[in-house]
Amino acid sequence: MSGYETPLFDLPKPPAPARQKAGSVLPGLGRPARREAGEGDGQGERGDQPSPTAPPSRSGSGHTSHAPHPPRDLEAMLDGLNPAQREAVVHSGTPLLIVAGAGSGKTRVLTNRIAYLLGERDVHPGEILAITFTNKAAAEMRERVEALIGPRARLMWVSTFHSACVRILRREHEHLGLPSSFTIYDADDSRRLMAQVARDLDLDVKRHPPRGLLAAVSSLKNELVDHESARDAAQSDREALIAEVYGVYQNRLIAARALDFDDLIMTTVNLFQAFPAVAESYHRRFRHVLVDEYQDTNHAQYVLVRELVGPADGEVPPAELCVVGDADQSIYAFRGATIRNILEFEADYPNAKTILLEQNYRSTQTILTAANAVIEKNRGRKPKNLWTDSGAGEQIIGYVADSEHDEAAFVANEVDRLTDEGLAKPGDVAVFYRTNAQSRAFEECFIRVGLPYRVVGGVRFYERKEVKDVLAYLRSLANPDDSVSVKRIINVPKRGIGDRAEAMLDALADRERISFGAAVDRADEAYGLAARSLNAVKGFAALMAGLREKVADGAGPAEVLEAILERTGYLAELQESTDPQDESRAENLQELVAVAHEYESTEGSEGIDGFLERVALVADADQIPGEHEDGLITLMTLHTAKGLEFPVVFLTGLEEGVFPHTRALGNVQELEEERRLAYVGITRARQRLYFSRAVLRSAWGAPAYNPESRFVAEVPKELIEWEREAPAPSSTAFGTQTPQLTASANKQRKTGFKSLGSSGREPISVAPGDRVIHDTYGLGTVVSVEGRTGEHATVDFGSEGVRKLVLAFAPLQKL
DNA sequence: TAGTTCATCCTTTTT
DNA sequence: GGATGAACTA
């Protein structure tokens, strides 16, 4: 994990704010900690010790506020920059908006600007707050500035919105008398909690799935609406329902002493608005606020930035604000981001200066022309025209595959060819797709042909079930009120506490107005709990008490994790299992312990709470995409690709319904967001760009026929050279280009597609006992055949396991 | 209570 | 093909 925080706390503490009524203004933190010191508080607040946070390998303290400046090298900061970039680096005095087209050197401008502030304008590093989109970007920026300016740069604060807010909340709790220890809920935890809320309110889960409720509540949160006012403003039944759900959900969060991802920002904003003195202390401190990827900020983040900058006519002059972004690269509206923030920047900050960076230093003119042509189709955007002086370059190569397997084979062949001809190495190549599920076809193919690859994103380490389970134990220890975590593990591994027992404990918790975790400790008082269940619950309570004792004795996260693995029998269960997957699960848990050890050895580590916070905020995917020197093909979603660049890019799955995604087809806004995603994908390529699609793609079991993506047609024809074009319309009843086959239509015609098979192969028919050979799994024996017309077969591949296959598409041959 | 089978509905994308 | 939930059996 590279997420590394420079402490904010080396500057004088801000004056304690006047005490005001905390109350309802601070959802999520409104309730004082019921438990006194003892649990979770042991580690104390270390914020004020200027803990040395430099990586051990580095030397030099850099902590004195007036350390001698490293040699000033103005030329290094401005060298090679074009006039617009220079202007952006040295601008001062008014808010600054840098509209940076793809590949226009945005990151360089930002880092050089910071270095310029530190080196030329004598700004103290502690006065700088730079907000990036990911932890990885933060780490890189810190590194680059340090390379320019020296170790002094470590004193500045570079982080994501979320990390920054957690820091602020942790720091301010003591002034406000709020609990310092809180649990951060990720999307999965929130969903579980919402499911509970749906049960509380007796909602029809079919009509109101927790996911949907969560999305609705989340958008209210980002608008900074509280549920009271939402209820008052409700126009329709649905709105009223959402407001009610919001209230119950929020109460549950408060009771669990938890904040979800949206709360982190919103609560900080509320804190600033409720306690102006706190807000002022921060904007007194941060004289320079820089925000990267401004087009992806949501309303709450926008307000937070305003609060940090401070009023134009305040007692303290506003901080110097510099935001960077490109409205055409906004791809997170689904998560609440508003392009409005960047489009209206000049209205929000009337004396703002705007600098446009249009010259591209990354791609060939062909690639840029394609990108421009696609993005032009979006309405209501400010015109922008990327250009380069580096020449036209190669044409885009297009390929129409029969199936997703064929598409993967094309990519593999092409990479081989480029490698053989010395035009590129596998490490130069990236394969982009719209959804994570699409990676499988490529992985299978690359494994078969022996191409080295890595998948970025996908199922992340911290999202794996076993890791989340064990972390839930740790969280339950750190915060016994965290009902989502306690419920998650109360019967994992199985110890005979079923739904009924859980319901009885829930009832007890309700009756006594205590948390679920507290009810576990008082299970004796629960009605209707079978003796056997009661014993099991008591056993669980004793287990937790034993572990808690260990925590109280000052054990660090690693030691506690090891105790959890052992005492719960979780690890033993995995080790005894014969399922080969459980082996890797056990390895993941060992890895988690190793991560905890590593965390403990980091200076300034803050015990279990700190470890959990780190785990919640640092996506481990951040560490993966680095330099391309290791010769691996990179596979990732288009969203993950933002901010990266590759010499060779394959844009795959260019089919209506895949990209653009089905869900976006009916909605202009969403379609435009898909188009921006296409724009992002295209502009990642430096020299070579490939478009590919599959005529026939099996999407969730059933095959689907998808016409060409509209984005392909939006690229001028002469830019694309088709290596293989769509086959002539076949004689089947459904033409290849039937526009917009809906999913349901596909389903109805499902059986009809069988005859097409994959890669031209005749579908085979098998019977139990037949010997077959599979491209990936090798030799096997058919165990059984399912489906009315025999479309699935279960085949035993011996050491490769027993697999269920779709006969029409499995690369399977009868012997 | 746990383990099994069956049905359904599904899916974006992520800090 | 996968995850989740409901219904049923041991």
Side-chain angles (χ1 to χ4, degrees):
Chain A
M1 291 190 298
S2 52
Y4 213 88
E5 284 290 341
T6 313
L8 161 68
F9 308 121
D10 41 61
L11 290 176
K13 255 173 133 172
R19 292 221 171 234
Q20 297 179 23
K21 187 173 133 294
S24 58
V25 228
L26 296 174
L29 288 180
R31 192 171 85 168
R34 198 161 5 82
R35 286 158 202 273
E36 306 301 353
E39 121 269 331
D41 288 329
Q43 84 285 1
E45 170 66 53
R46 305 216 184 138
D48 295 308
Q49 303 167 6
S51 49
T53 53
S57 59
R58 299 282 190 162
S59 60
S61 84
H63 276 275
T64 32
S65 37
H66 293 289
H69 290 283
R72 295 182 183 191
D73 193 352
L74 187 58
E75 276 318 300
M77 292 166 205
L78 297 179
D79 188 37
L81 298 184
N82 67 33
Q85 292 174 322
R86 273 175 189 250
E87 198 186 348
V89 168
V90 305
H91 173 84
S92 98
T94 61
L96 175 63
L97 166 67
I98 305 173
V99 177
S104 61
K106 167 190 83 172
T107 311
R108 183 158 178 219
V109 167
L110 214 46
T111 48
N112 286 24
R113 178 172 168 82
I114 294 173
Y116 180 82
L117 293 174
L118 295 172
E120 289 298 314
R121 282 176 55 190
D122 269 340
V123 172
H124 186 280
E127 294 177 352
I128 291 182
L129 170 62
I131 298 173
T132 57
F133 194 69
T134 63
N135 288 297
K136 177 187 149 248
E140 276 175 8
M141 177 165 298
R142 235 174 276 129
E143 243 166 64
R144 287 177 203 216
V145 175
E146 207 177 313
L148 284 170
I149 215 74
R152 234 163 49 93
R154 281 180 224 150
L155 294 186
M156 63 181 190
W157 208 19
V158 185
S159 79
T160 61
F161 274 107
H162 288 87
S163 301
C165 287
V166 169
R167 281 271 154 157
I168 292 171
L169 291 174
R170 281 271 189 109
R171 174 169 173 69
E172 296 305 328
H173 81 276
E174 70 180 77
H175 299 306
L176 305 171
L178 304 169
S180 70
S181 115
F182 49 83
T183 303
I184 300 167
Y185 276 5
D186 68 9
D188 182 54
D189 300 317
S190 299
R191 215 203 70 244
R192 284 164 181 263
L193 190 67
M194 190 55 89
Q196 174 73 50
V197 169
R199 252 171 282 145
D200 288 349
L201 294 173
D202 245 341
L203 292 179
D204 178 2
V205 184
K206 288 252 150 51
R207 274 191 46 190
H208 305 286
R211 254 193 135 81
L213 294 174
L214 203 55
V217 165
S218 166
S219 76
L220 280 180
K221 283 187 174 186
N222 286 327
E223 290 301 311
L224 303 176
V225 178
D226 67 68
H227 73 271
E228 297 286 342
S229 55
R231 207 174 48 199
D232 292 344
Q235 304 276 319
S236 66
D237 289 352
R238 171 155 173 91
E239 284 169 30
L241 173 70
I242 298 296
E244 190 185 359
V245 167
Y246 187 5
V248 176
Y249 175 77
Q250 205 64 45
N251 284 336
R252 286 232 165 228
L253 275 177
I254 292 168
R257 275 197 286 140
L259 296 181
D260 67 20
F261 259 89
D262 298 319
D263 286 335
L264 292 177
I265 311 230
M266 190 186 79
T267 307
T268 311
V269 169
N270 285 336
L271 171 78
F272 282 171
Q273 292 182 339
F275 302 96
V278 175
E280 191 183 316
S281 73
Y282 283 93
H283 92 251
R284 222 177 250 281
R285 165 175 303 166
F286 294 122
R287 303 316 302 147
H288 290 270
V289 177
L290 302 99
V291 185
D292 196 5
E293 308 286 13
Y294 194 66
Q295 77 281 358
D296 285 322
T297 51
N298 61 28
H299 184 65
Q301 291 165 332
Y302 161 80
V303 176
L304 182 68
V305 169
R306 287 214 80 127
E307 293 288 337
L308 284 167
V309 168
D313 55 357
E315 187 194 327
V316 183
E320 227 177 287
L321 175 66
C322 168
V323 306
V324 188
D326 177 3
D328 291 335
Q329 294 188 61
S330 160
I331 53 175
Y332 285 100
F334 71 90
R335 176 170 107 185
T338 339
I339 317 187
R340 192 222 83 92
N341 291 348
I342 194 160
L343 294 181
E344 304 287 313
F345 186 83
E346 286 153 321
D348 296 335
Y349 298 91
N351 55 344
K353 162 97 182 160
T354 300
I355 293 174
L356 203 60
L357 305 180
E358 284 182 306
Q359 183 173 0
N360 176 295
Y361 297 93
R362 179 188 295 155
S363 313
T364 66
Q365 189 61 51
T366 299
I367 290 166
L368 294 181
T369 308
N372 284 332
V374 170
I375 198 66
E376 238 169 46
K377 297 287 190 292
N378 273 3
R379 298 164 44 154
R381 64 181 276 272
K382 292 188 179 172
K384 179 153 42 74
N385 206 25
L386 293 183
W387 61 277
T388 178
D389 55 15
S390 66
E394 305 286 325
Q395 268 187 302
I396 298 167
I397 295 181
Y399 186 88
V400 180
D402 293 332
S403 65
E404 69 266 34
H405 307 292
D406 186 22
E407 184 182 39
F410 163 70
V411 174
N413 283 335
E414 205 55 29
V415 174
D416 269 343
R417 186 181 71 82
L418 292 173
T419 313
D420 288 347
E421 295 176 15
L423 296 171
K425 303 184 295 292
D428 297 332
V429 179
V431 179
F432 298 156
Y433 36 77
R434 179 64 235 274
T435 61
N436 279 308
Q438 286 166 254
S439 73
R440 188 175 313 148
F442 293 103
E443 291 189 68
E444 282 172 6
C445 174
F446 291 174
I447 288 173
R448 200 165 17 183
V449 302
L451 273 177
Y453 71 92
R454 65 180 156 192
V455 181
V456 180
V459 193
R460 277 172 278 258
F461 183 70
Y462 291 114
E463 283 167 19
R464 287 167 204 271
K465 180 182 177 300
E466 63 277 15
V467 174
K468 293 212 69 166
D469 283 344
V470 173
L471 284 175
Y473 272 99
L474 203 56
R475 283 161 43 152
S476 304
L477 295 173
N479 176 5
D481 295 333
D482 176 356
S483 59
V484 169
S485 293
V486 176
K487 283 182 181 174
R488 182 180 180 112
I489 47 139
I490 191 166
N491 200 27
V492 177
K494 297 253 182 291
R495 47 174 77 91
I497 304 173
D499 293 348
R500 187 176 161 78
E502 192 184 313
M504 293 303 125
L505 290 171
D506 247 338
L508 172 66
D510 268 1
R511 200 170 64 231
E512 298 292 320
R513 306 190 158 277
I514 55 178
S515 73
F516 185 82
V520 168
D521 288 328
R522 291 165 56 179
D524 282 324
E525 301 166 40
Y527 297 126
L529 205 54
R532 192 161 54 133
S533 304
L534 179 60
N535 269 334
V537 174
K538 280 183 169 170
F540 174 69
L543 169 74
M544 294 303 277
L547 289 168
R548 216 161 278 146
E549 220 166 272
K550 207 164 173 62
V551 175
D553 288 346
E559 199 183 327
V560 176
L561 277 175
E562 278 168 342
I564 290 169
L565 289 180
E566 188 165 326
R567 294 192 199 174
T568 61
Y570 201 108
L571 194 58
E573 192 183 71
L574 288 179
Q575 283 165 345
E576 282 159 23
S577 159
T578 52
D579 186 340
Q581 286 198 324
D582 285 339
E583 203 175 309
S584 75
R585 294 205 175 99
E587 279 167 17
N588 286 335
L589 293 178
Q590 304 290 7
E591 173 68 20
L592 182 64
V593 173
V595 170
H597 273 299
E598 192 192 317
Y599 175 78
E600 282 178 22
S601 66
T602 320
E603 288 175 80
S605 67
E606 291 175 55
I608 291 174
D609 277 354
F611 177 68
L612 288 172
E613 176 190 311
R614 160 89 62 112
V615 163
L617 291 175
V618 178
D620 61 321
D622 284 356
Q623 69 200 10
I624 306 176
E627 290 310 308
H628 322 308
E629 43 194 79
D630 38 359
L632 302 177
I633 301 179
T634 306
L635 269 53
M636 61 175 124
T637 65
L638 285 152
H639 283 86
T640 326
K642 188 168 81 159
L644 305 176
E645 61 176 46
F646 297 88
V648 182
V649 164
F650 287 87
L651 221 50
T652 68
L654 284 166
E655 298 141 45
E656 289 288 304
V658 175
F659 183 36
H661 194 272
T662 336
R663 297 276 296 231
L665 288 180
N667 177 314
V668 179
Q669 266 96 46
E670 289 186 41
L671 215 39
E672 297 207 333
E673 177 144 322
E674 298 281 308
R675 188 172 281 114
R676 289 193 290 270
L677 200 50
Y679 175 78
V680 168
I682 293 171
T683 52
R684 298 309 96 192
R686 279 170 35 188
Q687 285 132 31
R688 288 164 206 278
L689 180 60
Y690 291 84
F691 286 167
S692 68
R693 70 180 171 103
V695 170
L696 190 57
R697 179 180 296 277
S698 40
W700 70 90
Y705 228 133
N706 297 313
E708 179 182 86
S709 165
R710 66 193 67 197
F711 303 142
V712 174
E714 286 166 6
V715 173
K717 283 196 173 37
E718 64 274 15
L719 298 182
I720 309 179
E721 182 194 335
W722 290 96
E723 188 161 323
R724 184 166 186 264
E725 293 202 70
S730 68
S731 56
T732 41
F734 8 89
T736 44
Q737 297 302 320
T738 314
Q740 310 246 335
L741 271 187
T742 62
S744 62
N746 271 332
K747 236 172 205 164
Q748 285 169 8
R749 299 168 186 217
K750 167 177 170 182
T751 44
F753 285 126
K754 270 201 316 165
S755 59
L756 287 167
S758 97
S759 17
R761 212 192 296 258
E762 277 296 310
I764 62 170
S765 66
V766 293
D770 282 352
R771 302 275 289 161
V772 290
I773 187 161
H774 186 278
D775 286 4
T776 310
Y777 307 126
L779 274 178
T781 309
V782 177
V783 178
S784 61
V785 179
E786 293 95 3
R788 250 165 307 160
T789 44
E791 54 269 83
H792 297 272
T794 306
V795 183
D796 187 352
F797 290 104
S799 61
E800 295 297 321
V802 179
R803 309 268 169 179
K804 198 166 176 183
L805 304 167
V806 180
L807 283 177
F809 300 99
L812 199 66
Q813 281 173 289
K814 214 159 142 181
L815 284 186

